[in-house]
Amino acid sequence: MPNTTVTLAAISGAHGVTGEVRLKLFADSIDSLKRYKSFNDGALTVKSLRPTKDGAIARFAEINDRNAAEKLRSTLLTVPREALPPLGEDEYYHSDLLGLPCVSTEGKDLGTCIAVENFGASDVLEIQLPSEDGKPGKKFMVPMTKEAVPEWGDRIVIDADFVI
């Protein structure tokens, strides 16, 4: 079941002395954030938002100085899942993939999707194999491409050629 909230960014620290904060974006671009007037169930109201080379700078109505901004370090900025725009064909939200069971095209249980990373070329799924002898299962990564992942929805199907 998808999460009821989706994280779009995280506050990485203060910027300046007037309460602005630096953001690490988990969305495609700052445009993905601009459609929302507030985050975290209205706890943070956006006054301004501008792009930077490494993310964005935000000013929230509730934050007026550097000390208050520093206290927000590591705060995740979330919105309700239902507030997100509808997905196009072959699109997905990372949060919808996390926790899904994974199987190979041969029907073998591969465990669970535990992370979605992007190192520049495309998204990469991190899969944790089922536990063995009470120990956590090994992990492996697979590119989120049609060749490697032909199907996803209630589960993630991974082409057997991409399984370790």
Side-chain angles (χ1 to χ4, degrees), residues 87-88 90-94 96-97 116 123-125 144 152:
L87 294 168
D90 292 336
E91 290 184 328
Y92 53 88
Y93 290 117
H94 290 190
D96 292 343
L97 300 176
V116 181
D123 287 341
V124 177
L125 303 181
M144 186 59 175
W152 67 88

Side-chain angles (χ1 to χ4, degrees), residues 31-52:
D31 294 333
S32 298
L33 296 179
K34 286 184 175 180
R35 72 183 59 183
Y36 305 102
K37 302 297 180 207
S38 67
F39 293 95
N40 302 11
D41 293 326
L44 293 170
T45 309
V46 178
K47 284 180 74 173
S48 67
L49 193 58
R50 66 182 188 275
T52 65

Side-chain angles (χ1 to χ4, degrees), residues 65-76:
D65 61 43
R66 184 175 183 87
N67 290 337
E70 281 293 342
K71 289 179 183 175
L72 290 179
R73 182 185 301 270
S74 300
T75 298
L76 301 177

